[in-house]
Each structure stands twice: as structure tokens, then as C-alpha cells.
Amino acid sequence: MSEKRADRTLGPGHSTFWDYCAAGELRLQKCDDCGALTWPVEQTCDQCGGGALHWERMSGAGKVVSWCQFHQDYYGGSPPVPHDCILVELAEGVLFMSNPLGFGFDGMKLDMPVRLAFIDCEDSAGTFKLPVFERA
């Protein structure tokens, strides 16, 4: 069963990101000019301003560098509160905000190794695969 979530951002670039997630891949934009990874989705490189970006597959490995627990319902009940949020530093160096899978606020530790997983979700646009992280 799909987990109800707040609406995703869709449109140029964003829809491509979600298409890769549907295929079980976490891909981020990489600049052809300077090699920097760009996240969140942009039309140009946030490092050099170059417009030639391609989608690079990430390893899915990372570590928890920060976390919080939301007690306020900002999204109309999806996900229900309280819910946990983690900031993961991917092995490639990009910071990626997500949710933990299989552990919660009390089980988090700084630099805890995590790996990519996907959960089935739905929003008003339909079903999708949400990238989350579990203990490595």
C-alpha cells in the first residue's frame, strides 16, 4: 500500500528526477563544464552557471549529518506527525534531505552510515517511489 505524501514538485527537471526514482535510481544533475553536482534540481549549475547538465547516478551510500523531528503538521496530515527527517551526506558529497526507514529519532547517531531505499508513495499526481535511507 502506498503512503500518502504531500505533493511533489513536478515539471522541467523535477519530473526527470522522479522518473529515475521510479526506476530505482537516485540520479542528480552534474555539470558538464565544471563537474559539480547540483541539488536540488536547477536549470543551470549553481557553481559555475553552466547550462550543460546531465543526470549522474549516485551510489546510494551516505551518512547522517543531522536530523530533526517534526511535531507541527505542515502538510495536511501527510506524513502524520510526529515524523522524522534526516540530512544525509551522500558519498558523492551532496547533502540530501530525506526520511529514515527502519530507525527513528531515538536511534540516530552522527555519521551513522546509511544506504538508499525507496518506498511506495502517492500524492495528488499519482503514485511514486520516494528515496529514503536505512541503516547500512
Side-chain angles (χ1 to χ4, degrees), residues 32-101:
D32 291 338
D33 295 329
C34 73
L37 289 166
T38 297
W39 178 253
V41 174
E42 294 287 348
Q43 297 301 312
T44 59
C45 176
D46 59 1
Q47 295 295 309
C48 74
L53 302 173
H54 70 275
W55 291 91
E56 182 93 3
R57 187 172 186 171
M58 300 294 103
S59 67
K63 64 182 179 180
V64 174
V65 295
S66 188
W67 59 91
C68 66
Q69 188 173 68
F70 287 90
H71 296 272
Q72 176 74 31
D73 182 4
Y74 293 103
Y75 302 108
S78 40
V81 292
H83 71 271
D84 300 323
C85 186
I86 55 177
L87 184 63
V88 173
E89 182 179 340
L90 299 175
E92 294 81 5
V94 176
L95 296 176
F96 193 89
M97 191 172 289
S98 187
N99 298 118
L101 178 64

